[in-house]
Each structure stands twice: as C-alpha cells, then as structure tokens.
C-alpha cells in the first residue's frame, strides 16, 4: 500500500512510499537507498523484504526525480497514485495481483527446470546410470536450465554490471556460467565428449584432469536450488505480510446511507463526513462515527484483539471495520478514508515494517561490501589452487572457486530483519498492538522500570457506585430510589455514576420536580413529595442545616482514606445515607502487574491522588512503588528523576497530560482508548484498554528482536563457516547452492514462527 500519493507538483515535508520492482537481494536495496539519498532534501530507507522505499521529502523535489533516481540504479517504480484507504491501495488488491502473477511464473520456471535437471543430476551422481553418450543428453537437458531457467539471474547481473555494481545475482550468474562454460570446453575441446566416458560423484570435489570433468549437474542443480529458494521465499514473504493485508481488508465495501429517511446502499468510497448510515446486526460498521440511534454490542476482536463485545448507545463512538453483534444502529460518520482508525493503524504498521533497526543497517553495510569481497576471494581461491605446489589442479581450482561464489550469496542477511519485522508488527496489529518503528524493539530490551498512570490506565477512568450505607432507620432501596432519581436529572459524572449504579441494581427511578444544581456542591429537588438533597457534607450543613450522624461520617472517612468519593443523601431535613463512588481498578490490572514483574520490570504507580489513596490502589494490584500527589505538568519530571537514578523507563498513559512523559520516557506506551496527543507521543500504541496489552507489547517486541538476532546470527555464522570450507576445496558447488538456498528459507521460516505469538489475556482465558 502507498502511504501517500506522489503528485507531479513539488513535495514539501512529506513522507512518500514507493513500490520498487526488480530487487533481488539486500545489496539492491542498499544501492537504491544510496541513489535516493544523494538527492538534496531526500532521506530514504529501502526495505528489500517489503519491496518499498520510504522517502521523506524536504524541499522542492518532484516525483520525476525520485523515480529517475530509482531507474538510474537499474530498477523501476510501480506508478500508483491512489489515496490511502481505497480498495486499490490496499495490499491484496493492487500490486498483490501482480505479486501473485510473479510467484506463479516463478513456480512454472522452477518446475520446468527441476524436471529437466533431475536426470542431469542423477546421471552425474550414479555411475551405473551412465550409458554411452550420457554426457550429451545431460548437455541437451541442462542447456535450457542454464539459459532460460537462470535467465533472471543473468539479466539482473547484466543490469548491475551496467551500473557498476555487483549483487548476489552476480555471484549466481558467474558461478553457473563458469560451470556451464567449463563443461562446454571439456565436451567439445577436451576428453569429456568421448563416447563411453564415465565419472563419479563426490560430496567433495575430486581432483583430476580438467579436460575430462564436466559440471553440468552443478550449473543445473544450483539454478534449481536458487529458484526453489526464491520461490519459497516469495511465498513466505507474502505470508509474513498477510496480517497487514487482512487488516486492510476488514473494512466494509458498501454502506446503507439514510437519504430523506430512506436507506440507499452506496460504495464505501462515496460516503461523506456527517452522513448517517444504518448498521444491521452482523454487519460491519462502515467507518468511524458516533451512534445516533439504537443500542447494540460491538465486536472489535478482529481490530483490537479484545474478545468481549462492547455495549454502545446514542452518543458513543464506534470504529470502522468492527462488527455490530446486536441490534440495529444508526451512525453518523465522523472520519472517512485515510482518516479512519483502520487506515491509521495500517499506516503505522506499514511504517514500522518499512523502517530499519540499527542492527539491520549493520547487516546492510556488510552485504553492500560482501559481494565484491567474495568475488575477490573466489579469484584468490582459483589462483591459489592453480599454483599450489602439491596439486596445481585446474579442476580443484575451478570447483573451489565456483563453490566460493555460490555459497557466499548474502540474501539471508537481507531477509533477517525485515521478515521478522513484517511478521512481528503484523501479529501485533492483530492483537491491538501498534509498533511505530523498528528502533522501538531495541528499547524494549533495555527497560527495567515501567511507570503507570493511574486514571484510565490502571483504573477504568469512569466513576462507579461501589458502596451504599443507609442510616439505621432508612430502607436501602428507598435511599437508592430517591437519590438515583434526583441524580439522573444531573449531568455531573458522579451523578451519572450514581444513577447508573441504582439502575443496575434494578431500582426503578421516579419523576423529579423543582430540580436545582449548586455547582461543585450538590443538587436538590422534589421526588415523591420528598425534598431530597444529595451532595457534600458542607452542602448539607451550610445550605440545609443538616448534620450527618457519627456512623455516616465514619463511612465517609473510610471511603476517603481509600481514595473514594462519599456523597450524602438527605430528605425531609435529615441525613439518610451515604453513597460511595470510585474510579474502579480494571479487572485485568493485577494480572498485568504480575506479568510485568515476570518480564523483570519494576512497576511504579504515578498519580495525582493523595498518598494514602494511591497506596490503597497500589496494594490492590500489587505495586510497591508509588509516586503520588503529582500535578499533571510534573509527570515528566517524575520520569526524569527515575532516569537520573539510572533507571531505563517505560511509561504507560492515555491522557493529554501524559504526552510529555510518554515522549520523555525511554519507551512510551499509549492506551489507544486515550487521546490523540498521547498516542502521537508514544512508541507503542495499545488499541485495547486492557493493561495486559502492555505486557503483550513488550513480550512481542522482545520476541521479535530475539528472532532478528537469531536470523542474523544464522546468516553471519553460515557465511563465516561455509566460506573457508568452500575455499579449501571441501564442498561440491551443487551442495553449496542447496545450502545457500536453504539459509534464506530458514531465515524466513524462523520469522514466521512469530505468527504463533499468543496474548497473555488469551493464555489466561
């Protein structure tokens, strides 16, 4: 998918994504990246696995300059100018069809060359199969394999040569042509073409007369193995990007819009902001919006990983691509196209996949100089064996040099990081975890302290009726009915919590007359011919001369010591009870804290509450360290103090006042249920409001980083170990080709194991 269209006019301070065609290894990506970065005002990152260039343009740079730079390097750009959010722009629709076609063509080439090469290899490996003239049949079968079958390598090598560069295709092309050319020399000018000629096969190259040795099985076998590696690599790369394609395909394709009270079904791209549309049970919500009419439960599991449906009603926000699991809804569209949450999530995921971690940049630098070094090493190997005092064998020299060329192809280095990133970030998106960039992975490894904002992070962020205490001579249901009826007429959050709590207990509300509100203190009105007063103690005492008794005051004191809010209820001139409301701890918070400790993290609760209330909540969820009575503006200072003490700090928050602290922390995690400012300042966004998602995010990031390091170790270790063996003349070139192809497939397959990552919430369930 293209992050933004590339207009013909100049681009200023914009991020552009280019779809690159023709890359075959990390060296290709490295060369394109260097070409783009030579343009003034351009900063580019090219990713071989995703076949994309992420370009940041600053200044007067037009589209033609970017495309010309890519073409000057010997590659091309898919010309796509469809805005983000449309079907044509989504992976799986646009370029993915051509990807499927390319993969199918590669499969045809692989099958054909394999069928032709099998007899060639068998004849060379099993002397009993060698009849008179077998070598000429081998030549007939191998010729189309080395010419047509290996043509993609030869073509790429020629393009690279024209641009003064060398890649892994150069190594493969030179190696197969050398083996084929040597065989032609031996057949037509040497002794290998004599009818009745026989020779055996060894895992180690055999020394003998150069003119009697043919290497058709090497040229054909290497071609088949490399094509097989490319084919399985292409299939695996498509699987590694499947999460992003699935994410983008979640959106609805059409929508039932209300026009003058009548439903009219239109394509999704014709929907406009402020249009009202209908969502029936079982249908996807077409775009982000606000419920205008109806009540239902929304299943957001495909987008957020949250398995429990969320109840919504008029005034509640809903997200596009989630599923209406209950009743009929009428929704007013607030965001469409590229502005929707789904499109923004996809953009974050793709940006993370296109970026490069520091460890990948090291691998790119190595692969950039690796090919010339290998060619020089192959020439040195050839010269050494030709001049060796003990042998001087041209056959041994040739086989060793070809084995060096084939075994050293650094494609596994180029795939090690991006494939793991693609799978890891894609799996994260499925679980409601958005990793903003590959550099975030390094941060997750180093953190040892995690600071948790209380409200909205550890707690629900919404007031709830948690306790009811009636006076000795007062019926509790009567207390709830009169207080709930009066509070239902108020819009204050505490009043709404009381009214909702009363209704949840099955108590019916009564009509209210003469309602009045005293801001910040309380409310009063007539309910069932009673003058009911609900509010703070001083409101009852100063305005109504009502004094609560000692038992009710004791309830108030206990509530406030636990960080809760106590509201007094009185009618007919006497205090009748106390209602206690609180911002309750999320059910999953204690489990999340335990998970953080298991990762070696030290949790710290950060809150503006008083010390006693903060300690009560911390004790409930298992936190020992508390920083209380912190003003919103001072949160960043609290993070700095921890860093000054030598801590590497992660911060989890959701509010505007958390944004600075999230940016200051070594790793910022924003709850996706929070504000845009907090999300923008963070490194990781947790789409779910469940704190266990923070544990999942750190686990997944660390697992992804571990996979990258494992991939790079395999790729480096493979080349370091194999090159001396090949140079020593101990490796048949055909087996070298098989081993090289396997290394790439291994790296990609190892990355695909990240698809099996499971959330702690799912595991616990």
């Amino acid at each position: 998918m293209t992050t933004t269209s590339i207009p013909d006019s100049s681009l200023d301070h914009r991020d552009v994504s280019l779809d690159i065609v023709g890359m075959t290894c990390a060296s290709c990506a490295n060369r394109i990246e260097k070409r783009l970065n030579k343009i003034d005002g351009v900063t580019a990152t090219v990713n071989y696995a995703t076949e994309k260039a992420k370009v940041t343009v600053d200044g007067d740079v037009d589209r033609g300059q970017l495309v010309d730079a890519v073409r000057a390097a010997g590659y091309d750009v898919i010309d796509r100018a469809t805005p983000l959010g449309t079907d044509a722009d989504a992976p799986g629709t646009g370029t993915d069809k051509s990807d499927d076609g390319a993969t199918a063509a590669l499969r045809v080439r692989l099958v054909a060359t394999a069928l032709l090469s099998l007899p060639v290899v068998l004849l060379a490996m099993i002397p009993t199969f060698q009849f008179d003239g077998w070598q000429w049949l081998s030549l007939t079968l191998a010729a189309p394999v080395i010419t047509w079958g290996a043509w993609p390598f030869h073509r790429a090598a020629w393009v690279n040569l024209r641009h003064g560069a060398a890649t892994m295709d150069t190594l493969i092309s030179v190696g197969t042509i050398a083996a084929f050319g040597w065989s032609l020399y031996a057949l037509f000018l040497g002794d290998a073409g004599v009818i009745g000629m026989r020779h055996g096969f060894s895992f180690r190259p055999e020394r003998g007369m150069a003119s009697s040795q043919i290497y058709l099985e090497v040229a054909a076998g290497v071609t088949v193995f490399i094509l097989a590696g490319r084919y399985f690599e292409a299939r695996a790369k498509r699987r590694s990007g499947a999460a992003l394609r699935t994410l983008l395909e979640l959106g609805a394709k059409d929508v039932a819009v209300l026009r003058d009270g009548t439903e009219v079904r239109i394509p999704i791209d014709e929907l406009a902001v402020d249009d009202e549309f209908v969502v029936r049970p079982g249908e996807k919500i077409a775009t982000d919006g606000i419920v205008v009419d109806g009540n239902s439960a929304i299943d957001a599991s495909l987008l957020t990983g949250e398995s429990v449906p969320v109840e919504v009603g008029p005034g509640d926000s809903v997200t596009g691509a989630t599923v209406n699991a209950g009743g009929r809804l009428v929704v007013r569209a607030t965001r469409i196209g590229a502005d929707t949450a789904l499109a923004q999530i996809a953009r974050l995921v793709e940006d993370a996949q296109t970026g490069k971690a520091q460890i990948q940049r090291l691998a790119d630098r190595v692969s950039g100089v690796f090919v010339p070094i290998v060619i020089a090493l192959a020439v040195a190997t050839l010269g050494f064996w030709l001049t060796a005092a003990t042998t001087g064998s041209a056959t041994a020299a040739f086989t060793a040099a070809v084995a060096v060329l084939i075994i050293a192809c650094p494609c596994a280095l180029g795939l090690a990081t991006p494939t793991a990133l693609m799978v890891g970030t894609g799996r994260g998106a499925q679980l409601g975890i958005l990793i903003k960039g590959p550099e975030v992975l390094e941060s997750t490894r180093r953190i040892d302290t995690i600071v948790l904002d209380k409200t909205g992070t550890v707690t629900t962020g919404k007031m709830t009726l948690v306790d009811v205490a009636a006076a000795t001579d007062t019926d509790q249901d009567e207390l709830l009915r009169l207080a709930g009826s009066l509070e239902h007429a108020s819009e204050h959050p505490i009043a709404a919590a009381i009214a909702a709590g009363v209704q949840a207990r099955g108590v019916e509300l009564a009509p209210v007359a003469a309602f009045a509100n005293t801001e910040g203190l309380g409310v009063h009105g007539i309910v069932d011919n009673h003058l009911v007063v609900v509010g703070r103690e001083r409101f009852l005492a100063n305005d109504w001369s009502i004094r609560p008794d000692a038992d009710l005051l004791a309830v108030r004191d206990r509530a406030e010591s636990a960080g809760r809010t106590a509201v007094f209820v009185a009618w007919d001139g006497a205090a009748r009870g106390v209602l206690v409301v609180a911002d309750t701890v999320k059910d999953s918070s204690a489990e999340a804290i335990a998970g953080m400790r298991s990762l070696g993290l030290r949790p710290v609760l950060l809150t503006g509450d008083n010390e006693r209330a903060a300690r009560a909540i911390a004790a409930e969820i298992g936190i020992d360290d508390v920083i209380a009575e912190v003003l919103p503006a001072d949160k960043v200072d609290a993070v700095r103090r921890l860093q000054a003490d030598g801590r590497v700090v992660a911060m989890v928050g959701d509010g505007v006042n958390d944004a600075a602290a999230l940016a200051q922390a070594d790793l910022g995690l924003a709850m996706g249920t929070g504000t845009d400012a907090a999300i923008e300042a963070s490194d990781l966004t947790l789409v779910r409001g469940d704190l266990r998602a923070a544990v999942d995010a750190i686990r997944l990031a660390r697992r992804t980083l571990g996979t990258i390091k494992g991939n790079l170790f395999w790729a480096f270790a493979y080349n370091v170990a194999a090159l001396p063996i090949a140079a020593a003349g101990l490796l048949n070139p055909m087996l070298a080709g098989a081993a090289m192809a396997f290394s790439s497939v291994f790296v990609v397959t190892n990355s695909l194991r990240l698809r099996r990552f499971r959330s702690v919430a799912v595991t616990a369930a």
Side-chain angles (χ1 to χ4, degrees):
M1 108 183 179
T2 305
T3 299
T4 182
S5 60
I6 312 171
D8 291 328
S9 59
S10 65
L11 305 171
D12 189 23
H13 299 287
R14 300 186 65 178
D15 287 334
V16 177
S17 180
L18 302 176
D19 295 287
I20 309 296
V21 179
M23 290 192 295
T24 56
C25 68
S27 298
C28 302
N30 209 29
R31 190 160 75 255
I32 298 171
E33 191 172 292
K34 287 181 179 178
R35 285 276 187 173
L36 288 170
N37 284 325
K38 286 181 180 178
I39 303 174
D40 289 338
V42 169
T43 303
T45 298
V46 181
N47 190 310
Y48 165 52
T50 59
E51 299 180 329
K52 291 180 183 293
K54 182 181 178 182
V55 185
T56 300
V57 178
D58 182 11
D60 187 18
V61 178
D62 62 31
R63 177 187 181 281
Q65 287 177 268
L66 300 177
V67 175
D68 288 346
V70 174
R71 289 175 176 164
Y75 306 89
D76 205 351
V77 177
I78 296 178
D79 187 7
R80 302 176 65 203
T82 308
L84 178 69
T86 62
D87 290 340
D89 192 47
T93 56
T95 57
D96 281 65
K97 290 180 180 178
S98 62
D99 289 344
D100 288 340
T103 305
L106 184 58
R107 182 172 62 249
V108 170
R109 191 180 296 268
L110 170 62
V111 171
T113 54
L115 291 175
L116 290 170
S117 299
L118 182 61
V120 177
V121 174
L122 290 176
L123 286 171
M125 291 180 67
I126 306 175
T128 55
F129 287 179
Q130 294 173 0
F131 53 86
D132 290 345
W134 67 273
Q135 66 270 47
W136 295 104
L137 174 62
S138 293
L139 175 64
T140 304
L141 295 173
V145 174
I146 289 103
T147 52
W148 172 78
W151 175 245
F153 312 128
H154 304 322
R155 181 181 56 199
W158 172 246
V159 170
N160 293 328
L161 181 63
R162 287 173 52 201
H163 291 86
T167 67
M168 65 165 286
D169 292 294
T170 307
L171 302 181
I172 297 169
S173 179
V174 171
T176 54
I177 288 175
F180 187 59
W182 189 283
S183 301
L184 292 178
Y185 163 78
L187 284 169
F188 288 98
L189 301 178
D191 301 327
V194 175
I195 300 298
M197 186 274 289
R198 305 281 190 275
H199 73 62
F201 177 84
S202 173
F203 289 105
R204 290 178 51 183
E206 292 183 344
R207 299 184 178 94
M209 294 299 295
S211 60
S212 64
Q213 296 289 318
I214 60 174
Y215 292 93
L216 294 173
E217 79 281 3
V218 170
V222 165
T223 299
V224 171
F225 286 132
I226 303 301
L227 284 175
R230 289 273 176 94
Y231 173 68
F232 290 116
E233 175 188 313
R235 286 188 59 189
K237 280 165 63 179
R238 282 189 52 78
R239 288 174 61 197
S240 66
L244 181 58
R245 289 192 297 274
T246 301
L247 189 67
L248 285 164
E249 290 166 0
L250 288 177
K253 301 299 184 286
D254 54 24
V255 57
V257 180
L258 289 177
R259 303 277 195 233
D260 298 323
T262 304
E263 293 183 27
V264 179
R265 191 159 288 276
I266 61 173
I268 188 65
D269 54 2
E270 294 180 14
L271 187 67
V273 173
D274 291 331
D275 278 349
E276 292 187 359
F277 58 92
V278 176
V279 188
R280 290 186 173 80
E283 289 185 339
K284 292 179 181 177
I285 296 175
T287 193
D288 299 356
I290 295 175
V291 177
V292 176
D293 182 47
N295 291 274
S296 183
I298 300 300
D299 179 2
S301 58
L302 290 176
L303 192 61
T304 68
E306 178 59 66
S307 59
V308 180
V310 179
E311 297 291 334
V312 297
D316 290 332
S317 297
V318 291
T319 304
T322 55
V323 178
N324 178 13
R328 178 181 183 271
L329 293 175
V330 177
V331 179
R332 177 172 57 82
T334 56
R335 293 190 292 188
I336 60 173
D339 296 326
T340 63
L342 177 65
Q344 291 171 359
I345 288 172
R347 187 179 298 115
L348 282 173
V349 173
E350 188 184 34
D351 285 349
Q353 292 181 349
T354 307
K356 289 185 180 180
Q358 287 300 114
I359 196 168
Q360 173 62 24
R361 296 188 184 280
L362 172 63
D364 286 351
R365 286 195 295 271
V366 171
S367 63
V369 300
F370 197 69
V371 172
I373 290 174
V374 168
I375 292 176
L377 182 60
V379 172
T381 300
L382 180 67
F384 172 79
W385 282 106
L386 284 175
T387 58
T390 54
T391 62
S393 169
T395 303
F398 174 77
T399 54
V402 171
V404 167
L405 287 173
I406 299 300
I407 199 71
C409 294
C411 51
L413 282 177
L415 292 169
T417 295
T419 52
L421 268 179
M422 288 174 70
V423 182
T425 54
R427 181 58 182 150
Q430 291 175 329
L431 295 173
I433 301 164
L434 306 180
I435 302 172
K436 284 195 174 179
E439 63 281 352
V440 172
L441 303 178
E442 296 282 357
S443 300
T444 61
R445 178 180 58 84
R446 297 183 294 109
I447 59 171
D448 54 34
T449 302
I450 185 162
V451 176
L452 306 170
D453 174 59
K454 180 182 76 71
T455 305
T457 302
V458 172
T459 64
T460 61
K462 295 181 179 180
M463 303 300 283
T464 305
L465 179 61
V466 295
D467 195 15
V468 180
T472 305
D473 57 349
T474 302
D475 178 70
Q476 182 169 298
D477 286 346
E478 181 73 358
L479 173 71
L480 289 170
R481 190 172 70 86
L482 296 180
S485 299
L486 184 64
E487 293 285 55
H488 191 257
S490 173
E491 296 180 352
H492 193 279
I494 292 179
I498 292 173
V502 170
Q503 290 175 306
R505 287 166 167 79
V507 177
E508 292 187 11
L509 303 182
V512 178
F515 174 83
N517 172 50
T518 303
E519 189 172 351
L521 293 175
V523 295
H524 67 274
I526 305 298
V527 183
D528 284 352
N529 297 319
H530 296 288
L531 175 59
V532 182
V533 180
V534 180
R536 297 177 181 269
E537 178 196 359
R538 70 173 184 269
F539 178 56
L540 272 66
N542 297 341
D543 291 34
W544 300 93
S545 299
I546 299 173
R547 305 287 178 179
D549 61 27
D551 290 340
L552 295 182
L553 290 174
V555 173
R556 188 272 314 271
D557 292 341
R558 287 195 300 271
E560 290 184 350
S561 68
R564 298 174 174 180
T565 301
V567 178
F568 289 93
V569 182
W571 64 82
D572 297 341
R576 308 289 182 169
V578 177
L579 303 180
V580 180
V581 295
D583 178 11
T584 55
V585 172
K586 294 177 181 177
D587 294 337
S588 59
S589 291
E591 183 184 342
I593 299 303
M596 291 172 186
R597 290 189 183 279
S598 70
L599 293 173
L601 304 178
R602 182 177 181 180
V604 177
L605 184 66
L606 182 66
T607 177
D609 288 352
N610 63 70
E611 183 81 18
R612 186 169 56 176
R615 290 284 177 190
I617 290 177
E620 184 178 346
I621 59 177
I623 293 180
D624 300 323
D625 297 333
V626 176
I627 303 175
E629 301 179 27
V630 177
L631 295 175
D634 295 334
K635 289 184 176 182
V636 66
D637 291 330
V639 173
R640 284 178 181 151
R641 285 195 300 272
L642 289 169
Q643 291 172 326
D645 291 339
R647 309 268 189 93
V648 183
V649 180
M651 168 78 185
V652 185
D654 71 334
V656 173
N657 54 20
D658 296 323
L662 288 167
Q664 174 64 35
D666 300 283
L667 179 70
L669 297 92
M671 306 295 282
T673 51
T675 64
D676 291 342
I679 293 171
E680 182 64 28
S682 68
D683 303 303
L684 285 159
T685 299
L686 314 175
V687 178
R688 289 180 285 158
D690 189 336
L691 190 57
R692 289 176 296 185
V695 180
D696 287 338
I698 295 170
R699 286 177 56 239
L700 177 60
R702 287 181 175 180
R703 182 84 58 84
T704 303
L705 180 63
T707 301
I708 289 173
K709 289 183 174 180
N711 287 347
L712 287 172
F713 172 79
W714 168 263
F716 275 115
Y718 162 81
N719 280 309
V720 169
L723 273 173
I725 296 173
L730 302 176
L731 189 64
N732 186 288
M734 186 174 69
L735 298 183
M740 195 282 292
F742 173 75
S743 70
S744 296
V745 175
F746 172 84
V747 162
V748 178
T749 305
N750 188 46
S751 297
L752 287 172
R753 293 190 305 120
L754 287 167
R755 298 174 71 188
R756 299 199 295 266
F757 179 87
R758 292 291 179 266
S759 165
V760 292
V762 173
T763 304

